[in-house]
Amino acid sequence: MFTLGFPAAAFGTNCYVLAPGPGQECLVVDPGVGVEAQLGEVLAEHGLKPTAVLLTHGHLDHVYSVTPVCGGVLGAYIHGDDRYRLKDPLATLDPGLVGMLEQQFGSSATWQEPEDVVEMSDGEHLELAGLSLTVRHAPGHTEGSVMFSLGEVPDGLAGQVDVDATVLSGDVLFAGSIGRTDLPGGDGNAMQRSLRDVVLPLPDSTLVLPGHGPATTVEHERATNPYLQGL
């Protein structure tokens, strides 16, 4: 599976591009702040054609560029419990943070809702761009946070890392940490249940591509992540 990830221009949010291989249709996952130019370069360099945009949750740093990336043609996939966040994610931000973004990028922050929003549900199987994904609802960071599971791993990993599946974990699970639960819509108890019932049952041989920071594996996090201990 062709897999390329790069950080957005703000908040270090990882944007991922997934495809069966170069020159084919692809998926874009979590297009955050200021990713359009770099994403365009990636698509052009590898001859990729996006067919859908997948969102692990509705926070601004993961969805800011969803509308220009979708371009009125592609569907934006989000869990139903976070659907409301796409109406105007700027409205829930602290004004000081909005001002910081405007100062950094030299223009006023604006928002337009995607034209085609597709609501996902837990356990749903998606067949998109020649890839098969399973939606795993894992609330706690937000009400509609999800992880996407695939039975494939990025090209070049075979024989180097002992993994045979991939999960895009959004802000549910990071290398050595988890997503915060003190923002609006966050729930510490729900996060504990998600970690226990959704994350820990994943096989150790699962590669984790998180919403922020470096990749990891379920095996490594099970053994070392302090937030998974004792669950």
Side-chain angles (χ1 to χ4, degrees), residues 88-106:
D88 186 5
L90 286 168
T92 62
L93 283 187
D94 179 270
L97 181 56
V98 174
M100 182 198 73
L101 289 173
E102 293 177 350
Q103 183 177 20
Q104 180 177 355
F105 295 103

Side-chain angles (χ1 to χ4, degrees), residues 196-210:
R196 182 192 65 210
D197 300 337
V198 184
V199 172
L200 285 177
L202 293 171
D204 282 348
S205 57
T206 303
L207 175 72
V208 179
L209 300 179

